[in-house]
Amino acid sequence: MADRGFTSSTQAVPAVGSVPRHVAIIMDGNGRWARKRFLPRMAGHTRGVEALRGTIRAAIERGVEYLTVFAFSSENWRRPADEVTFLMQLFIKSLQKEVSRLHENGIRFRVIGDLSRFEPLLVKAIASAEEQTVGNTRLHLTVAANYGGRWDVLSAVNRALAKTPGLGEVTEEAITAELSMSFAPEPDLFIRTGGEQRISNFLLWQLAYSELYFTDTLWPDFGADALDQAIASYRERERRFGRTSEQLTAADDVGQHA
Ligand code: IPE
Ligand code: IPE
Ligand code: MG
């Protein structure tokens, strides 16, 4: 981790700024948005893509460096087959339509999750979008698809073990380096729309010290204003990382706490 310049929040206290460097969002509530309008759930998913577009734009304008969004969980395969198929098609279509715009806006696109269950067309579209945007640095946009936090930690532990000669101990650094978000600092701000207050197997390891923000706003209604409200709430938090409030004030006095 250290070679990438990111601090593990449990090993050292990371720098804290007024804008969250990394925002992670569970985009929830598409189905309920549609149901309220007597529309099929799929209409909610389609509008959800538009909400994501607006949120990406707003995140860039506010200076967020990493935006990570949960699009499809490893448990979402349990949904009706027609909804799963629709979501996969929507993912392919959105990628094909949006990738050049992402690139023009300097966005580096990545997908995290187990891609092995996706159809080849989708895997190809993902690989090509990742390749096309590999040199961009303005915003790191990561879409979690067929992602599960437990899968991520387990895969990382197994990879770390495979690299450990003999039966040595696996360290926190070794696991962190193998996680699918090893390229990013830990999320400063976690947002879940749609009113539920749970993690639903999102970034379990990385959310250890993230500020959690829950809103009843349904994902298709989310955008710049809603992001600003979340960031405003974030700014009011005191990120202590185990320390006391007095210690933070003392650090402020000597200019160590941004
Ligand atoms: C989130 O919206 C999108 C996905 C999980 C793919 P939902 O589809 O979960 O919407 P609700 O929670 O049923 O309203
Ligand atoms: C979490 O939403 C996953 C995504 C937004 C992709 P769900 O709607 O699937 O979560 P649960 O089932 O309510 O926990
Ligand atoms: Mg939901």
Side-chain angles (χ1 to χ4, degrees):
M1 281 298 278
D3 57 324
R4 291 187 179 88
F6 301 133
T7 310
S8 161
S9 58
T10 42
Q11 298 195 315
V13 177
V16 172
S18 61
V19 175
R21 212 178 157 195
H22 183 175
V23 177
I25 309 183
I26 297 188
M27 310 184 290
D28 196 19
N30 294 350
R32 280 162 287 162
W33 181 93
R35 198 171 58 205
K36 266 172 58 182
R37 288 162 180 76
F38 305 101
L39 294 168
R41 292 179 57 82
M42 320 301 168
H45 296 316
T46 304
R47 285 296 291 263
V49 178
E50 285 175 40
L52 178 56
R53 200 182 294 131
T55 304
I56 292 169
R57 198 180 310 123
I60 290 178
E61 285 167 7
R62 273 115 191 112
V64 170
E65 294 170 61
Y66 297 84
L67 179 66
T68 305
V69 294
F70 207 5
F72 191 88
S73 75
S74 45
E75 289 69 45
N76 284 145
W77 297 104
R78 295 170 180 160
R79 293 193 177 197
D82 61 338
E83 181 165 345
V84 171
T85 306
F86 181 88
L87 285 167
M88 295 301 148
Q89 295 311 314
L90 183 64
F91 197 2
I92 296 174
K93 264 198 289 182
S94 307
L95 261 183
Q96 289 169 342
K97 200 172 142 212
E98 306 287 343
V99 70
S100 45
R101 204 177 336 198
L102 294 177
H103 186 45
E104 283 161 22
N105 284 291
I107 297 167
R108 174 146 187 198
F109 175 84
R110 290 182 182 89
V111 172
I112 55 165
D114 181 2
L115 300 189
S116 66
R117 233 179 128 172
F118 289 153
E119 58 173 290
L121 191 63
L122 180 51
V123 177
K124 254 177 118 171
I126 291 168
S128 128
E130 288 184 338
E131 267 166 45
Q132 202 182 329
T133 63
V134 73
N136 298 336
T137 54
R138 195 168 172 210
L139 176 77
H140 293 260
L141 171 68
T142 304
V143 173
N146 192 20
Y147 178 86
R150 289 186 181 174
W151 164 84
D152 198 3
V153 173
L154 276 174
S155 317
V157 170
N158 282 318
R159 275 194 296 268
L161 272 174
K163 288 183 184 169
T164 312
L167 282 175
E169 233 180 276
V170 179
T171 62
E172 179 173 331
E173 287 98 323
I175 294 172
T176 306
E178 296 297 336
L179 289 169
S180 51
M181 294 289 307
S182 62
F183 59 87
E186 292 172 23
D188 300 289
L189 173 61
F190 161 93
I191 299 172
R192 183 173 186 143
T193 62
E196 312 294 352
Q197 303 196 1
R198 53 178 173 253
I199 305 290
S200 296
N201 199 16
F202 196 24
L203 303 160
L204 298 178
W205 178 285
Q206 300 88 337
L207 291 173
Y209 269 106
S210 306
E211 295 300 327
L212 308 181
Y213 178 83
F214 299 94
T215 171
D216 288 336
T217 301
L218 301 171
W219 176 251
D221 293 325
F222 197 87
D225 291 347
L227 181 66
D228 284 339
Q229 282 173 35
I231 294 177
S233 166
Y234 171 81
R235 286 197 173 127
E236 283 167 18
R237 315 283 178 95
E238 186 177 57
R239 304 194 71 194
R240 290 191 289 276
F241 299 99
R243 297 163 300 171
T244 67
S245 198
E246 289 73 18
Q247 285 174 293
L248 289 187
T249 316
D252 258 348
D253 291 343
V254 290
Q256 288 174 355
H257 180 65

